[in-house]
Amino acid sequence: MRYIMEQDEIYGEFAYVYDEFMDNIPYEQWHDYLHGLLIKYGVNKNLELRAGTDFNSETVYHERNSGISPVTLGFKAKLMEERKLMPSLAFLGQVTLNSLASKNFKAPYTAPSIRLLFQHTLSDKLNLGYNLGAEWNGVTPDVTGVYTVSTSYSFDEKLGMFAEFYGYLNKFEKADHRFDAGFTYLISNNFQVDTSAGVGISEISPHYFVSAGVSYRFSTK
């Protein structure tokens, strides 16, 4: 997994995610369906531009809403190469524009997010990554701390697997910790598919979630 793409590469990523929540009140459920689109462009070997949005269809207490979620713009910049025991380091900065969305999904506030991305190469097949950051949800002015600890393993040039433990920390809410794992398969040099499943660990987390996605690389050279 690369932190920054090569110059003049464009990646298109599309994912389908299904989450299920169950309230403490019997028979009241929240089913969330999320279709995500992310476009990434490699300006050079140290800088990547990003733009993304979601088609969101959700049912909350038997009421259904569908539409486009707020558009997110951002960048990822490489700050430091990996050296011996020192991990590689990159910075991810994004802002979600609250007004660029369908009427039902517009948010009161513009929502920035920042992350520091660390990665260790443990062997030719095994990597360890961990991220720390902060984000705003656009609904309230409160900040949420985010973290991820992940590992990825390559069986061969095409098949890989990953597992991650991650969470969200907000002083006004209970902690939300989750775990997931999945597989990636490289169909060609430019086309990859992936699938994963996970569970919520905390009381407010979704009971379970599954996802599937595709990524395609275009070259503008």
Side-chain angles (χ1 to χ4, degrees):
M1 181 181 296
R2 290 179 294 175
Y3 272 121
I4 306 295
M5 299 183 301
E6 297 296 331
Q7 184 173 356
D8 295 325
E9 287 183 355
I10 298 177
Y11 266 82
E13 298 181 2
F14 176 82
Y16 171 81
V17 181
Y18 172 78
D19 295 338
E20 178 169 305
F21 291 80
M22 176 71 77
D23 260 344
N24 293 327
I25 304 173
Y27 308 114
E28 293 190 326
Q29 299 181 354
W30 179 351
H31 299 281
D32 185 24
Y33 302 84
L34 179 65
H35 305 260
L37 176 64
L38 175 63
I39 303 296
K40 301 187 291 186
Y41 174 68
V43 177
N44 54 46
K45 66 178 182 179
N46 295 315
L47 180 63
E48 167 190 304
L49 302 181
R50 303 159 66 94
T53 188
D54 305 311
F55 176 76
N56 206 346
S57 178
E58 63 182 18
T59 302
V60 183
Y61 303 144
H62 309 294
E63 294 184 7
R64 190 175 184 84
N65 288 312
S66 298
I68 302 298
S69 297
V71 172
T72 297
L73 303 176
F75 70 95
K76 186 189 292 185
K78 183 187 296 182
L79 302 180
M80 185 174 65
E81 296 281 0
E82 184 174 2
R83 296 180 181 177
K84 297 183 179 180
L85 297 179
M86 295 294 295
S88 63
L89 173 62
F91 175 82
L92 174 63
Q94 299 186 133
V95 60
T96 300
L97 306 175
N98 57 320
S99 60
L100 292 182
S102 298
K103 181 178 179 180
N104 291 339
F105 291 93
K106 290 183 178 180
Y109 303 98
T110 297
S113 67
I114 55 174
R115 292 199 185 194
L116 289 174
L117 315 175
F118 303 86
Q119 182 168 294
H120 287 280
T121 301
L122 302 181
S123 72
D124 292 339
K125 294 180 176 292
L126 185 64
N127 289 310
L128 173 67
Y130 43 97
N131 309 336
L132 293 172
E135 63 182 30
W136 287 256
N137 61 15
V139 179
T140 71
D142 305 322
V143 63
T144 296
V146 293
Y147 72 90
T148 303
V149 179
S150 64
T151 184
S152 61
Y153 182 82
S154 299
F155 294 99
D156 53 35
E157 294 182 352
K158 293 183 176 293
L159 180 63
M161 71 172 297
F162 61 90
E164 59 182 354
F165 178 72
Y166 63 100
Y168 308 90
L169 306 172
N170 187 305
K171 66 178 181 179
F172 299 107
E173 299 177 355
K174 294 181 179 179
D176 180 357
H177 304 290
R178 308 180 187 189
F179 173 83
D180 69 6
F183 294 90
T184 61
Y185 186 76
L186 192 65
I187 295 178
S188 70
N189 288 335
N190 297 319
F191 185 43
Q192 179 178 279
V193 296
D194 64 83
T195 183
S196 65
V199 295
I201 299 173
S202 306
E203 181 181 350
I204 68 170
S205 307
H207 280 192
Y208 67 90
F209 45 95
V210 294
S211 70
V214 296
S215 302
Y216 194 83
R217 178 178 62 181
F218 303 86
S219 177
T220 62
K221 293 181 180 179

